Amino acid sequence: MAAEQTANLSGNIAGMSAPKSSSNRRGPMQEVDLDAEFDTLEEPVWDTVKRDVLTVGAKFTHVVLPHGDKQQLLRDWDLWGPLFICVGLALLLQHNGGTESAPQFTQVFTITFFGSVIVTANIKLLGGNISFFQSLCVIGYCLLPPFVAAVLCSLFLHGIAFPLRLLITSIGFVWSTYASMGFLAGCQPDKKRLLVIYPVFLFYFVVSWMIISHS
């Protein structure tokens, strides 16, 4: 009985489970229910792609507005959003660099990807009540604010207005740290919470430093 009363954070990929019947299929204009069961074997490819895009967009919404249903991002984890952000950030910073000291695509991608893996491993070693991929999903999706800051600084303020670029990057850094802690704070022992916050803080700080240095 005690196990049934514990919050269920067991995750599945994008909220999908084994298909049962085609009666649960939804029309293209209906609201997507992440807990519903889908029959993806018979539906058109466009419907599958559109549903996945809407699912990723819903998770980005949770990062932009972190006061929503925080458990949904943990239950229905996926790594599509973090992958898009890591690739996009690496492309942006490589595009900006016109010198040999500019970071290459593989360098930025390695720092963002393996940095999030190391932070996730630290959370698990400290006894976090969250799975490895759930934590990786949250940390990756919360890179959205720094990525938006990188887009603004790279495409519109490249090489000019340093104070404005610094302000935008700082806002992205604070926003990402705040959003990630909103999802992860309840999954950590109270006595070890500061040990979890510091690596997350350091990870987003390094990413933000790369953005402000190479934009």
Side-chain angles (χ1 to χ4, degrees), residues 119-142:
V119 173
T120 298
N122 175 74
I123 293 174
K124 291 297 295 180
L125 291 175
L126 291 175
N129 183 25
I130 187 174
S131 74
F132 182 86
F133 288 106
Q134 287 173 333
S135 178
L136 193 62
C137 171
V138 169
I139 294 173
Y141 269 98
C142 289

Side-chain angles (χ1 to χ4, degrees), residues 37-139:
E37 296 176 347
F38 297 96
D39 182 2
T40 59
L41 296 178
E42 298 180 359
E43 72 176 0
V45 176
W46 171 245
D47 290 348
T48 303
V49 173
K50 183 168 60 175
R51 187 188 64 247
D52 292 341
V53 170
L54 290 176
T55 302
V56 172
K59 291 181 174 64
F60 282 138
T61 302
H62 289 307
V63 176
V64 176
L65 302 174
H67 297 289
D69 184 8
K70 299 179 180 179
Q71 302 302 321
Q72 186 180 31
L73 185 60
L74 297 177
R75 289 193 306 265
D76 306 317
W77 61 267
D78 69 73
L79 300 180
W80 285 113
L83 177 62
F84 293 150
I85 292 177
C86 289
V87 172
L89 187 60
L91 289 174
L92 276 174
L93 295 184
Q94 183 186 29
H95 173 72
N96 289 336
T99 63
E100 296 180 356
S101 62
Q104 299 299 314
F105 177 90
T106 53
Q107 293 175 329
V108 179
F109 186 86
T110 300
I111 291 175
T112 54
F113 178 77
F114 286 101
S116 59
V117 170
I118 292 174
V119 173
T120 298
N122 175 74
I123 293 174
K124 291 297 295 180
L125 291 175
L126 291 175
N129 183 25
I130 187 174
S131 74
F132 182 86
F133 288 106
Q134 287 173 333
S135 178
L136 193 62
C137 171
V138 169
I139 294 173

